[in-house]
Amino acid sequence: MKLSRAYSSLNGSIPASKIKYVPTSGTYPKDFSAAGIFVGVKPGNTSKPDLALVTSDRPCAAAAVFTKNKFQAAPVTFSRKLLRGRDNAGLRSVVVNSGCANAVTGIGGLEDAARMAATTDQRVGAPDSTIVMSTGVIGQRLPIQKIVDHIPLAYHKAGDSHRHWLDCAKAICTTDTFPKLMSRAFELPSSPGIQYRIAGMTKGAGMLAPNMATLLTILATDAPVAPGVMTTVLRHAVDRSFNSITVDGDTSTNDTVALLANGAAGGNEVASVQSPDYAAFRDVLTDFATDLAKYIVRDGEGATKFVTIRVADAASEESARAIARSIALSPLVKTALYGKDANWGRILCAAGYSLISAPGQPPNDVPEIVPERTNVSFVPTDGSPELKLLVNGEPELVDEERASEILEAEDLEILVKLGTGDKSTVHYTCDFSHDYVTINGDYRT
């Protein structure tokens, strides 16, 4: 039996358990417009919006972080070159299609990406100002004429209401079960009384692992941020959000997180990384991106649990991240969580092999893991006491009934204390279920 999971590809329904994550209103940045319309990029899609546009009435400072996969999709190559050529200044729009990734499509794929951008530029009236994103099946050419013919309609229908932004968020989805959209207001120290706004949408439910751990994300703000600090602030946020989640350990060919800032709200420009405004904006962006990234984990393909992995008392932040990531990626840990099995040995095992040197590399002799100092616990999200599984390398007599109660919950925290330092990190992941295999076995058809 096939399991259809493509967002609204047939019936437009959102699972009852996910409706709570879909906003009914929003606070959106000034002078930005959004649209999501139906094109029919993927055969079989007869109604789902699959062409998205976010555009600004004025030039933006912009930055993007891209996948590190060596087989990078044409939109990634095109958009990276565009941002470098513009020195992160003078951007206006992001245009996105779902249903086809335009990846591993050769010179023709690059030409298609350029046509999407040029068509958008023409409508906006600003050459070389459009970032391009695509998502969907790898190795197939876009129905490019159909897409470019619809871009003027998307521009015509773009608006600044919540409905416009939500339609846009729907249009970038593939196997997502709900559109992932957030917005919020904030202030900056040097401009008291000015309310700035940030909005963001993301998509992704599979092929998710660090470097980067998302497929597509668009972030827009009306705060005045200088082009020279955009890349720095975005990388800081991505490292602590989209690079701190995983669903299945696969890194896509198309991953892109883009940030646009048009300064429409006024106030002093965030121009120096040493300024209080920079620190405030960095923290706002990081918190916002983290909350948006969590939606991806909650919508992981076949997932039934949202799992926070916290590694504390580590010798270095790098080792903490490596250990947390190793636990998050372990199929044995993830299947045990799905089966509600308090098999902490799998957690310990994944931690133990996380820092093993690759073949040909010198051994890592830094005592970042000391078995006799290691502690592992389950931490319930209801505020009740943690369930200790391992204390200073010695196994506890586990209350299996209590463990089952904790593992029944949708949310769970795994706490690993290393006792080798004072650094810590957090990583977010989900479990593996039977549905994950079914979804991905049927994806291309």
Side-chain angles (χ1 to χ4, degrees):
M1 180 182 73
K2 289 189 176 183
L3 178 65
S4 177
R5 195 180 193 265
Y7 176 76
S8 70
S9 61
L10 297 175
N11 56 23
S13 62
I14 297 174
S17 62
K18 305 296 176 64
I19 290 176
K20 61 187 176 184
Y21 301 123
V22 181
T24 57
S25 63
T27 302
Y28 298 103
K30 293 179 179 179
D31 290 353
F32 277 101
S33 299
I37 67 169
F38 167 75
V39 172
V41 174
K42 187 174 182 178
N45 175 24
T46 60
S47 61
K48 172 196 174 296
D50 54 1
L51 180 65
L53 175 67
V54 174
T55 187
S56 170
D57 294 345
R58 59 179 70 197
C60 302
V65 179
F66 300 100
T67 180
K68 292 186 178 180
N69 193 307
K70 296 299 182 182
F71 291 95
Q72 298 189 349
V76 170
T77 300
F78 173 87
S79 298
R80 178 186 285 111
K81 183 178 179 181
L82 173 71
L83 286 165
R84 286 176 177 170
R86 297 300 303 260
D87 288 329
N88 292 359
L91 280 293
R92 291 282 294 274
S93 309
V94 181
V95 65
V96 189
N97 76 271
S98 61
C100 178
N102 191 13
V104 198
T105 47
I107 294 175
L110 286 170
E111 292 172 347
D112 290 345
R115 283 190 67 187
M116 288 177 65
T119 304
T120 307
D121 290 343
Q122 185 177 22
R123 302 308 300 181
V124 173
D128 301 324
S129 67
T130 300
I131 294 169
V132 181
M133 301 181 186
S134 298
T135 182
V137 177
I138 295 170
Q140 297 180 4
R141 287 288 297 276
L142 292 170
I144 188 60
Q145 194 59 49
K146 186 186 293 187
I147 291 173
V148 297
D149 285 348
H150 281 78
I151 288 175
L153 178 62
Y155 181 79
H156 175 72
K157 289 194 170 184
D160 59 5
S161 73
H162 174 67
R163 175 50 58 185
H164 287 101
W165 282 89
L166 187 60
D167 286 345
C168 189
K170 291 178 180 179
I172 68 174
C173 292
T174 52
T175 61
D176 309 67
T177 66
F178 67 94
K180 301 167 180 65
L181 173 68
M182 284 177 45
S183 62
R184 65 184 51 157
F186 63 96
E187 293 186 356
L188 294 175
S190 73
S191 302
I194 296 180
Q195 184 183 70
Y196 297 108
R197 301 171 180 86
I198 185 169
M201 64 189 73
T202 191
K203 64 83 54 184
M207 288 189 82
L208 294 168
N211 298 320
M212 289 180 343
T214 185
L215 289 180
L216 305 180
T217 301
I218 304 169
L219 304 167
T221 181
D222 54 16
V225 185
V229 302
M230 288 286 282
T231 298
T232 303
V233 74
L234 181 60
R235 286 192 180 278
H236 178 96
V238 167
D239 280 347
R240 290 155 181 80
S241 57
F242 297 109
N243 271 341
S244 293
I245 63 171
T246 187
V247 168
D248 51 18
D250 274 9
T251 297
S252 169
T253 54
N254 289 58
D255 301 342
T256 305
V257 174
L259 171 65
L260 279 71
N262 68 6
N268 297 317
E269 186 178 54
V270 181
S272 169
V273 295
Q274 281 80 38
S275 71
D277 280 351
Y278 177 87
F281 180 69
R282 178 198 63 200
D283 293 346
V284 166
L285 181 64
T286 301
D287 290 344
F288 185 84
T290 300
D291 289 343
L292 200 54
K294 288 177 181 179
Y295 280 165
I296 294 174
V297 177
R298 291 194 180 279
D299 200 26
E301 290 172 344
T304 68
K305 295 187 183 305
F306 177 88
V307 185
T308 299
I309 298 171
R310 191 178 305 276
V311 177
D313 302 337
S316 67
E317 188 173 340
E318 291 74 19
S319 63
R321 286 189 183 187
I323 292 164
R325 184 178 301 127
S326 182
I327 296 168
L329 287 170
S330 168
L332 291 179
V333 171
K334 293 161 80 70
T335 50
L337 292 170
Y338 173 66
K340 304 178 181 64
D341 179 9
N343 194 339
W344 57 267
R346 293 182 177 182
I347 299 169
L348 204 65
C349 180
Y353 63 64
S354 61
L355 301 176
I356 294 175
S357 301
Q361 292 183 352
N364 184 354
D365 295 325
V366 179
E368 292 169 316
I369 296 179
V370 178
E372 294 78 15
R373 300 182 191 173
T374 304
N375 296 263
V376 179
S377 299
F378 286 156
V379 181
T381 55
D382 61 5
S384 58
E386 65 184 277
L387 178 64
K388 295 181 179 181
L389 308 171
L390 185 77
V391 177
N392 293 326
E394 296 290 336
E396 293 288 283
L397 182 61
V398 177
D399 182 342
E400 296 291 346
E401 184 176 346
R402 175 63 178 143
S404 295
E405 290 175 356
I406 295 173
L407 291 170
E408 281 287 342
E410 180 182 348
D411 287 26
L412 166 72
E413 179 177 320
I414 296 172
L415 174 62
V416 178
K417 292 183 177 180
L418 298 175
T420 56
D422 59 0
K423 305 300 182 183
S424 63
T425 195
V426 177
H427 202 100
Y428 305 100
T429 191
C430 57
D431 56 347
F432 264 164
S433 71
H434 303 287
D435 284 348
Y436 177 84
V437 177
T438 305
I439 291 163
N440 284 284
D442 291 340
Y443 179 70
R444 203 162 68 96
T445 54

